[in-house]
Amino acid sequence: MKVGIPRGLLYDQYHPFFTRFFTELGAELAVSPPTNRAILDAGIQCCVDEACLPVKVFHGHVSCLKAQCDLLFIPRIMRLYRGEYICPKFCGLPEMVLNSIYGLPETITEPFYADSMAGLRKWALRAGARITRDRRRIKAALEAAIAEQLRFKTGYDDQGYPIRVALAGHPYNLYDTFINMNVRKKLNRLGIGVVTEESMDEEEMAPEVASLFKKPFWTFARKTYGFISASVAGKRVQGIVYVSSFACGIDSVILELVRDRIGDFPMLVLKIDEHTGEAGVDTRIEAFADMLERSGRVEDHHSPHGQRLSCCESPV
Amino acid sequence: MLYLGIDVGSVSTDLVLLDNDLQVVEKLYLRTRGNPIRAVQEGLRTLKERYRDEDVAACGTTGSGRQIASVLVGADAVKNEITAHAVAALELDRDVRTIIEIGGQDSKIILLRNGVVSDFAMNTVCAAGTGSFLDRQAERMGIPIEEFGDYALKAGMPVRIAGRCAVFAESDMIHKQQMGYNPADIIMGLCEALVRNYLNNVGKGKDIRPKVFFQGGVAANKGMKLAFERALGFEVIVPEHHKMMGAIGAAILAKDAVSRTGSTRFRGFALAEHRFESRGFECEGCANRCEVARIHENGREIGCFGDRCGKWSSRIASYPAKAGNM
């Protein structure tokens, strides 16, 4: 039995859990390669046009895997934390895929509630039954998968750069270096280190989130808002780089909340979509780097030349 | 000594020469027509007749084609358009606090505080309201783009046009034309729609304070200037060389770069006569299948663009410093 796992959406965050679970059950795994142009093209071709880029990319991964596995895993992630939801596109992901891509093998699409042990167990028994009838083995696989996930550390925390920025956005936009044109590498090259929300404790975000007029409905919104606000309040970074996929509804809300909180603190919003030309992204990143660098210099600038502060001192 | 600035944009390629006091002594405004190399060469050819290589003490490039132009001419400074526009505006007036820049394919807002960029934004995916759209509408209405602004000023009662999307705006304009409104009212209505779109999109949430500089090709349109002034409630200044501000900024940045490095990398005007060729191919090194553009100068490869991993673009580290007569 070969289980196919598409390397899209929350794969980067939860692959230790899912891969360990299916391996423990004795399944062989087929994982699609990191996103590339062929995958992007396939996704755009088969996915409904209204979907956001990461959902299209997920479709691309599925179409790349469909002939290589007997059982395809399409996670229907409903909830990660108690009392919260994630983007509705995750709940309907299996339907989108099943109705858009022909020639799929059997699929696992059981709803996944990760906010309680009971929820996880329910998912495991249903999903696991597709591979084995041995319930004890399924329960053991679940334990092993949870332990594997808890050991897993992810996220960026670059050290040793003169400037540091918070890199924010949905994880699948931040860690898919193809669709974000490797924004981290581009920033690093300009002397800017990045830090992501995984390097911040939830306790540190909590007071920021609690100060909102109501508790955010979405997990992504809570975490991203908490991370950005706490990074700015704690003076951990000199700027924010927010990677957002075009037409993302949740981002449109988060960005308004964030802007309201941080005022004129430097923030660059990078909208990503299907284009592969990098000139637009490069221009924005370079200009943002210039801005951070120059404004930093003005603050502690005591030039004997008086008026001419920094405009002509750029290290080109 | 002169300082050469080249701004290779989507629609126009601009070249300027500045003197020691950073005053414009020469400016060329050329159409890029999708061929940045030819546009830059055309500019150099014109300059070649009046200047010698030794006159050029520094050379800088900016605009979306800045990398390709830099390899071509041997630039001392290669800078993004935001910084270039800001540098040029601040050189003219230290009190500028907002720059509105509308070019061929993109529009930007730059906020300056205490002589540095404090915030900026560029249009996202949509290019509604930029120069190419105005060009197209002028052509459709049969009015030369140069006269578009004068028409707008003659408007008595501008009609309301939907500005959110270029496609909607165009169909709205056609409807209004069919209903018999006069062209002046429609054109001014279009200007107002584009300004509304700009302020709600690129300028959303930005604290636009005077002095405002309006730069880029679209600033030549008096209707756009007026529409901005009406919407903002204060004067909007269009600098004399509004079309060339990016190139001016690049020249200033190049002058600074050379003051640190000591000598220019400018390869000379003879480049204008060299044979440049761009050969595209799809790299099969990995699944990304990058479209790589390979630039050849007189049959010799001088640079590659478009690959993600750097396999091709980093390959050529050195190219001839001065262009000889090959």
Side-chain angles (χ1 to χ4, degrees):
Chain A
M1 174 75 75
K2 204 171 202 179
V3 175
I5 306 185
R7 194 188 289 265
L9 293 172
L10 289 175
Y11 176 88
D12 278 319
Q13 301 285 292
Y14 295 106
H15 64 87
F17 178 88
F18 293 118
T19 50
R20 182 72 189 267
F21 179 75
F22 291 117
T23 326
E24 286 288 319
L25 296 179
E28 241 187 288
L29 295 185
V31 180
S32 51
T35 309
N36 55 46
R37 210 174 84 187
I39 288 177
L40 176 67
D41 288 348
I44 291 166
Q45 208 166 35
C46 60
C47 183
V48 291
D49 195 45
E50 292 82 1
C52 61
L53 183 65
V55 166
K56 290 180 181 171
V57 167
F58 187 88
H59 280 64
H61 282 278
V62 169
S63 89
C64 153
L65 266 182
K66 66 180 182 186
Q68 297 169 30
C69 56
D70 316 305
L71 191 56
L72 180 73
F73 175 50
I74 310 175
R76 188 196 299 274
I77 300 178
M78 305 293 290
R79 195 180 289 157
L80 295 167
Y81 293 85
R82 193 178 301 275
E84 295 176 357
Y85 286 87
I86 64 170
C87 169
K89 289 192 181 104
F90 285 79
C91 319
L93 185 64
E95 280 68 33
M96 271 198 273
V97 170
L98 291 168
N99 289 295
S100 306
I101 303 177
Y102 299 103
L104 290 180
E106 294 282 297
T107 53
I108 299 178
T109 63
E110 274 67 25
F112 185 83
Y113 290 88
D115 58 326
S116 72
M117 205 44 214
L120 284 172
R121 210 172 288 131
K122 200 166 165 186
W123 174 83
L125 288 171
R126 284 183 177 179
R130 310 289 295 279
I131 300 166
T132 174
R133 288 187 186 173
D134 185 346
R135 287 169 66 93
R136 201 178 298 161
R137 191 172 182 187
I138 295 174
K139 284 181 183 166
L142 176 64
E143 297 296 334
I146 292 174
E148 187 80 44
Q149 183 66 37
L150 292 176
R151 275 196 298 276
F152 175 63
K153 290 273 175 290
T154 180
Y156 301 148
D157 189 0
D158 295 338
Q159 303 292 335
Y161 288 89
I163 298 176
R164 246 160 86 93
V165 299
L167 185 63
H170 299 317
Y172 39 83
N173 290 333
L174 299 187
Y175 300 117
D176 188 329
T177 55
F178 184 81
I179 66 171
N180 71 27
M181 302 181 182
N182 215 339
V183 55
R184 181 200 193 187
K185 198 162 127 196
K186 288 182 193 292
L187 286 163
N188 286 171
R189 240 185 244 150
L190 296 168
I192 299 177
V194 306
V195 52
T196 53
E197 66 182 45
E198 292 84 354
S199 59
M200 182 181 276
D201 291 332
E202 299 239 343
E203 292 88 75
E204 206 173 325
M205 304 176 185
E208 289 291 337
V209 177
S211 71
L212 282 171
F213 63 97
K214 90 181 253 299
K215 188 175 181 294
F217 187 76
W218 298 302
T219 299
F220 292 138
R222 173 177 58 81
K223 286 197 166 189
T224 308
Y225 177 82
F227 168 60
I228 294 177
S229 312
S231 299
V232 173
K235 299 197 167 72
R236 286 160 159 251
V237 295
Q238 283 107 298
I240 313 288
V241 174
Y242 196 120
V243 181
S244 167
S245 32
F246 181 65
C248 173
I250 295 181
D251 278 345
S252 68
V253 175
I254 303 175
L255 279 168
E256 286 308 312
L257 293 174
V258 163
R259 283 204 181 99
D260 201 41
R261 172 71 178 84
I262 67 173
D264 57 5
F265 194 81
M267 175 161 78
L268 174 70
V269 180
L270 284 177
K271 286 272 179 209
I272 52 173
D273 204 30
E274 293 164 20
H275 22 35
T276 50
E278 304 199 12
V281 168
D282 287 344
T283 295
R284 286 162 177 83
I285 291 178
E286 284 172 27
F288 190 66
D290 276 353
M291 183 175 103
L292 293 182
E293 203 175 293
R294 283 154 186 255
S295 58
R297 247 182 310 170
V298 168
E299 271 164 29
D300 44 47
H301 195 105
H302 303 288
S303 162
H305 307 297
Q307 285 299 302
R308 282 189 77 86
L309 279 172
S310 69
C311 104
C312 292
E313 295 173 17
S314 122
V316 189
Chain B
M1 291 318 259
L2 298 172
Y3 306 97
L4 174 62
I6 304 176
D7 181 353
V8 183
S10 56
V11 172
S12 72
T13 293
D14 320 325
L15 288 87
V16 289
L17 282 172
L18 306 184
D19 63 14
N20 269 325
D21 300 324
L22 303 180
Q23 297 303 308
V24 176
V25 293
E26 187 79 59
K27 59 175 184 177
L28 297 174
Y29 183 83
L30 310 161
R31 292 264 158 177
T32 308
R33 294 187 207 283
N35 192 336
I37 299 178
R38 199 167 54 201
V40 171
Q41 280 191 291
E42 193 187 326
L44 292 176
R45 193 171 300 132
T46 311
L47 294 177
K48 191 181 163 196
E49 288 164 14
R50 275 167 276 178
Y51 303 94
R52 294 166 304 147
D53 289 356
E54 303 80 71
D55 296 333
V56 178
C59 169
T61 62
T62 186
S64 48
R66 61 186 178 278
Q67 301 294 351
I68 200 168
S70 132
V71 168
L72 208 69
V73 300
D76 302 299
V78 187
K79 248 322 172 204
N80 63 80
E81 305 91 287
I82 305 270
T83 306
H85 274 279
V87 163
L90 287 168
E91 186 58 43
L92 272 184
D93 192 336
R94 299 295 301 176
D95 298 327
V96 179
R97 291 203 282 181
T98 311
I99 299 171
I100 292 169
E101 199 270 342
I102 306 184
Q105 280 286 326
D106 56 23
S107 48
K108 330 173 173 57
I109 185 162
I110 308 172
L111 302 188
L112 302 154
R113 299 291 182 262
N114 305 316
V116 283
V117 177
S118 72
D119 195 7
F120 68 89
M122 292 174 75
N123 57 340
T124 50
V125 191
C126 173
T130 56
S132 343
F133 175 65
L134 280 173
D135 263 355
R136 178 172 154 63
Q137 294 316 317
E139 197 184 311
R140 203 178 55 77
M141 297 180 76
I143 298 170
I145 186 70
E146 295 76 20
E147 293 167 26
F148 220 56
D150 293 318
Y151 263 89
L153 296 187
K154 281 186 253 166
M157 187 207 65
V159 297
R160 189 170 171 97
I161 307 262
R164 183 195 297 280
C165 161
V167 180
F168 294 167
E170 180 167 324
S171 54
D172 217 13
M173 278 176 71
I174 293 172
H175 287 187
K176 300 277 153 114
Q177 281 178 293
Q178 308 288 47
M179 286 165 71
Y181 291 98
N182 76 52
D185 287 348
I186 292 176
I187 292 173
M188 191 60 207
L190 178 66
C191 292
E192 287 182 350
L194 298 184
V195 165
R196 214 162 43 234
N197 177 28
Y198 176 94
L199 294 175
N200 292 332
N201 187 353
V202 182
K204 195 175 94 184
K206 303 281 183 240
D207 185 13
I208 301 178
R209 295 192 206 165
K211 291 178 176 170
V212 175
F213 267 28
F214 184 13
Q215 304 180 173
V218 173
N221 186 324
K222 292 171 197 150
M224 289 295 287
K225 173 177 164 3
L226 180 65
F228 268 117
E229 287 174 339
R230 279 186 192 158
L232 293 171
F234 46 74
E235 193 197 358
V236 168
I237 300 160
V238 177
E240 186 193 349
H241 303 296
H242 60 90
K243 277 184 184 175
M244 320 300 288
M245 294 300 268
I248 293 173
I252 297 173
L253 288 161
K255 178 177 185 261
D256 292 338
V258 167
S259 74
R260 283 190 305 274
T261 60
S263 67
T264 182
R265 296 167 63 203
F266 179 58
R267 299 177 58 215
F269 292 115
L271 286 169
E273 306 312 329
H274 286 195
R275 190 164 41 80
F276 288 96
E277 243 184 317
S278 170
R279 295 174 205 162
F281 69 97
E282 194 177 85
C283 171
E284 291 176 358
C286 77
N288 283 340
R289 301 285 169 122
C290 296
E291 294 149 4
V292 182
R294 228 182 201 160
I295 312 297
H296 292 258
E297 178 181 352
N298 295 333
R300 181 173 177 271
E301 186 173 312
I302 57 162
C304 289
F305 299 91
D307 55 336
R308 287 185 163 221
C309 65
K311 173 177 164 185
W312 301 97
S313 51
S314 62
R315 206 157 57 119
I316 292 141
S318 65
Y319 44 84
K322 286 278 174 198
N325 291 316
M326 287 191 248

